[in-house]
Amino acid sequence: MQRRRTRTRRLSILRWLLTCAISMIALGVLLAVHVSPFPSVRSFSDVRKLPKQPEMGYRGWSNELSWMLESAPPHFSRLLTSSQKLDGMSDGMSRFEKLWKPPSNRGFVPCVAPSSSHSPPEESRGYLLVSTNGGLNQMRAGICDMVAVAHLINATLVIPKLDRKSFWQDSSNFSDVFDEEYFIQSLANDVKIVKKLPKELAMATKAVKYFTSWSGVEYYQDVISRLWDDYKVIRAAKSDSRLANNNLPPDIQKLRCRAFYEALRFAPRIEALGKLLVERMRSYGPYIALHLRYEKDMLAFSGCTYGLSPGEADELTRIRENTTYWKVKDIDPQEQRARGYCPLTPKEVGIFLSALGYPSNTPIYIASGEIYGGDSHMADLESHFPMLMSKEKLVSVNELEPFSHHASQMAALDYIVSVESDVFIPSYSGNMARAVEGHRRYLGHRKTIIPDRKALVRLFDKFDQGSLKEGKRLSDMIVQLHKKRQGSPRKRKGPISGTRGKERFRSEEAFYENPLPDCLCQWESHNSNSSLANM
């Protein structure tokens, strides 16, 4: 009997110990969950490695790129990097939102549908041939302007010839860069477009014309249309800046937007690789697309030699002097820089991004061609932001090879990644920067920070002189300078006061840089004072 009691007592003690152990384990699990509320978020140290690159050809993507269809940027409220968590929950979230949150679009959405008075293509009076000029985005703007011109003069537009003679020497045809069939079909209710000139007109005498820059409707309907009396074919020798930015009929402006933002899609294989690049950048979290216009052609054309060696400066001067169609030869580099006419150097970009508050582990996509001077000029930027990515780093040699010898196709890939980025920052306001900015405005006013280069140069000079250092003071000044330069809705800027003639038109904000008010309309909101008149 005594043994039985002892055995029972021991079993009770074991049950009690087992119950305590289970309770302690459950309590530990509960505490662990409570302490770590974001178990699914990877630390940035984990994502520094390139994501796995699955084998993929462009035929694997059957759907169109989402960036052509989206009307609003993605939300980032659930994403926190490990470095930001250390600052505390509320402070980390506030800082994160401040860095990545896009500006309010104030209810502006695309409104490009033709009005009831917009006429479909009338009987064609002849054919319009177009020879485009410049790089990818200069050609894109010219092509879309020629769509509007063809409508104005009742012409059948022949698929434009891309520029093969510019600095880039790209042999691409229209269908190599753009979705030709989609372009023709989507504009069928506006302009008749054919792939080739009819055989019977191949040897016909053509009216070769340099259309006057920044012209209005009257010029095309009164001057150019007269050429139909003597010719069946008109060839536009250049296509860029042939239409005025402002004061055109609303339906013509909407047609330009339909062409630029919707009809002129890139070729399917370019869109497929562009989508892959975006996905691989997103595997790092929200990212900045930096259009770093620090390329040989840009520096030679602008005469900007700040930060270069004497040998590099001499090389750029020779290029400018030997390029016949660059009219300005004698340029004062210091004056150019002081006036804000030079692209920021990679070193200056690194200081600028750090001052804005972006941490060193921010993923940055470099959208550009070959950087002049290579690693020697990129070292300072990379010391600030080691996670610098590019097409060449994100995809394999085999994936990129079909595009690598075609500057326009490579630029198209950069364009896609830039439009889709969480923040876009151009180091210079060239054709690509303007086109991307306008496209991001059209898609919901995604965050686009435009550096105030003229003001920044003064700060960077003080930095070089040692009177200003990286830190809170410099950061506060740069943040303050750029509070209203982040892509918020605003009307397109008109000409600079006091300018006349061509300079007046040249000083206007480019049409495709900001499609408001012509192609963006504001939904009715609760705030009755929110209107264009108050912008």
Side-chain angles (χ1 to χ4, degrees), residues 106 108 489-491 522 527-535:
R106 293 172 55 191
F108 281 100
R490 59 169 177 76
K491 284 198 295 185
Q522 193 174 32
N527 183 3
S528 60
N529 294 323
S530 180
S531 65
L532 284 175
N534 294 327
M535 296 178 98

Side-chain angles (χ1 to χ4, degrees), residues 335-346:
E335 182 181 346
Q336 284 285 94
R337 183 169 177 271
R339 297 173 69 180
Y341 293 165
C342 290
L344 299 179
T345 69

Side-chain angles (χ1 to χ4, degrees), residues 18 39 52 201 233 299 335 385:
L18 183 60
K52 185 179 180 181
L201 293 176
V233 181
L299 297 175
E335 182 181 346
F385 296 93

Side-chain angles (χ1 to χ4, degrees), residues 8 41 88 110 129 140 155 223 286 367 402 405-406 447 462 497 522 532:
T8 302
V41 179
L129 300 179
R140 289 177 68 236
V223 177
H405 300 294
H406 301 281
K447 190 165 188 174
K462 292 180 180 179
S497 178
Q522 193 174 32
L532 284 175

